[in-house]
DNA sequence: AAAGAGATGGTCT
DNA sequence: GACCATCTCTTTT
């Protein structure tokens, strides 16, 4: 059941529609900062968190899975914008991406870090009670925290009935996000498509 | 606080 | 058979 204060109605906002994701990956990536990642799973556990780090990948980008063309793995990246692309990384971890750009164009935004805001106790247990700031500060950790797995590959994030959604609750994306080289890649290193919300300190 | 290495399996050449 | 859009644990500063 729900913990106190974690009911879905806690987050009110609009479900972003498919056309919102139709723009180029770097643009969507910046605009995704401060949006909410929401997961409503079959057991009715409800978790949500604010997206604070993303990376953009386009089709003409040598670091992108789609650079060498369509395969069975990257098929979803060529599909409709607003779908979820999940793949297995290093044989161990899942990484979740949001498909962007026009259908047929292989672009996506990798979710790299989220700050949990709802269902934190569920997330803590899924993450084996690690310190709160390490709950979802990496692509594989997000998938653990939100229970996103390979069978979510292709899920439509823009559907009312979808178990995973992106919600705009009115918090604006930062005007000047940090922009840096992407992580863990060997090609396309000079492209500054890793975007983060500036962290005040 | 930083650096190093092992785990582990699908995808592609 | 090489290459990973990573994480965690261990060792060293």
């Amino acid at each position: 059941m729900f913990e106190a204060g974690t009911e879905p109605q806690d987050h009110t906002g609009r479900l972003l529609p498919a056309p919102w994701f139709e723009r180029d990956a770097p643009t969507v990536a910046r605009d995704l900062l401060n949006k909410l990642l929401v997961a409503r799973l079959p057991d009715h556990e409800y978790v949500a968190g604010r997206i604070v780090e993303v990376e953009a990948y386009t089709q003409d980008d040598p670091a992108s899975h789609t650079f060498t063309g369509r395969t069975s793995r990257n098929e979803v990246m060529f599909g409709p914008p607003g779908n979820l692309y999940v793949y297995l990384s290093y044989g161990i971890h899942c990484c979740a991406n949001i498909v962007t750009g026009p259908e047929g164009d292989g672009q996506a935004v990798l979710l790299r870090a989220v700050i949990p805001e709802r269902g934190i106790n569920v997330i803590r247990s899924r993450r084996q009670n690690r310190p709160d700031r390490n709950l979802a500060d990496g692509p594989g950790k997000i998938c653990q925290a939100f229970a996103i797995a390979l069978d979510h590959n292709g899920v439509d994030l823009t559907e009312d009935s979808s178990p995973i959604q992106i919600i705009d609750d009115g918090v604006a994306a930062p005007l000047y996000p940090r922009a840096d080289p992407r992580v863990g890649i060997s090609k396309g290193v000079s492209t500054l498509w890793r975007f983060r919300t500036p962290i005040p300190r």
Side-chain angles (χ1 to χ4, degrees), chain A residues 11 42 64 72 108 193:
Chain A
H11 278 126
S64 173
S72 57
W193 282 352

Side-chain angles (χ1 to χ4, degrees), chain A residues 123-136:
Chain A
I123 291 177
R124 284 190 187 117
S125 75
R126 284 178 182 157
R127 293 277 304 133
Q128 293 153 11
N129 295 315
R130 293 179 189 288
D132 278 0
R133 41 181 253 283
N134 296 328
L135 290 178

Side-chain angles (χ1 to χ4, degrees), chain A residues 145-156:
Chain A
F146 285 75
I148 296 172
L150 287 178
D151 56 346
H152 292 110
N153 189 33
V155 160
D156 183 354

